[in-house]
Amino acid sequence: MKKIAIIVSSVQKNMELARKLETEAKEQGAQVEFINLVELALPMYTSVLEDEKGIPSEVHELTQRLIDCDSYIMVAPEYNGSLPPVLSNAIAWVSRTGDNFRAVFNQKFVALASHSGGGGAKLMESMRIMFVYLGANVLSREIINNYTKEYNPKTAKSVVEELLRY
Ligand SMILES: Cc1cc2nc3c(=O)[nH]c(=O)nc-3n(C[C@H](O)[C@H](O)[C@H](O)COP(=O)(O)O)c2cc1C
């Protein structure tokens, strides 16, 4: 059975979206690893903190949970035309575990989803740049919702189908 990690970076509208995607993935027969980055509350990455205290155990656990999955769905809000800090911070830590900063994302398939205040296009661009840089294959189809554009079950269905195809 394919395992999809759903990684959520905000717990209001984005959590609602993430839960809908979880239901869709399960209906299509996937196993879901649900990761709430807000709840995880990782310390803010700095090279000074890493040098002084090393990689926190919860980061090693997060890295392993991700490695154990076949693909990922990133669910995040746009903040100031870019990534929310909780996501950027988590990826910074994960990229510091092990010998290869690309190890967790290399050759994995990643789908992008967001509930944002506006169009969310700049967030999508930012996430795409980061995950492609980390070696991932980012699906061209995106899930973008906002306060006037509701969840479209057909788009969600086809995004999950595409992830499960690989
Ligand atoms: C600090 C901050 C910056 C934001 N910047 C943007 C932005 O650049 N573009 C946008 O469309 N929405 C922006 N928003 C709105 C959020 O993306 C939107 O409210 C989203 O639904 C928040 O996620 P949540 O409902 O899961 O908490 C911003 C919100 C905050 C708190």
Side-chain angles (χ1 to χ4, degrees):
M1 186 191 279
K2 289 272 178 75
K3 197 170 177 185
I4 299 178
I6 297 180
I7 299 141
V8 60
S9 294
S10 188
V11 293
Q12 291 164 307
K13 290 291 187 180
N14 284 279
M15 179 60 86
E16 283 176 29
L17 173 57
R19 289 296 181 195
K20 285 177 185 163
L21 291 167
E22 179 184 26
T23 302
E24 178 61 42
K26 286 182 174 168
E27 277 174 9
Q28 290 193 36
Q31 200 182 335
V32 171
E33 179 73 14
F34 199 91
I35 299 176
N36 178 346
L37 294 179
V38 176
E39 190 178 61
L40 217 52
L42 298 176
M44 190 180 76
Y45 178 85
T46 67
S47 53
V48 173
L49 184 62
E50 184 187 352
D51 287 347
E52 285 178 354
K53 299 204 169 160
I55 311 276
S57 59
E58 53 280 32
V59 171
H60 284 296
E61 282 163 27
L62 172 63
T63 299
Q64 197 53 55
R65 287 170 78 191
L66 290 168
I67 286 172
D68 290 346
C69 291
D70 299 292
S71 58
Y72 311 128
I73 305 178
M74 299 291 160
V75 188
E78 182 170 295
Y79 273 9
N80 301 313
S82 191
L83 304 170
V86 74
L87 176 60
S88 181
N89 187 48
I91 302 303
W93 276 118
V94 164
S95 72
R96 298 296 297 162
T97 56
D99 296 335
N100 175 3
F101 71 94
R102 288 196 169 93
V104 174
F105 291 95
N106 212 14
Q107 297 183 27
K108 297 274 179 143
F109 283 80
V110 174
L112 306 178
S114 177
H115 183 287
S116 292
K122 289 187 184 301
L123 166 73
M124 292 294 162
E125 213 177 308
S126 303
M127 288 203 286
R128 191 172 290 281
I129 288 169
M130 181 170 70
F131 291 118
V132 167
Y133 182 74
L134 293 173
N137 296 297
V138 181
L139 303 194
S140 56
R141 192 139 193 202
E142 298 166 342
I143 296 170
I144 302 182
N145 295 347
N146 58 40
Y147 295 104
T148 55
K149 185 169 179 278
E150 284 186 3
Y151 179 77
N152 181 340
K154 281 190 188 159
T155 310
K157 184 169 181 285
S158 68
V159 164
V160 173
E161 277 171 0
E162 199 174 341
L163 281 184
L164 293 179
R165 212 174 290 140
Y166 298 109

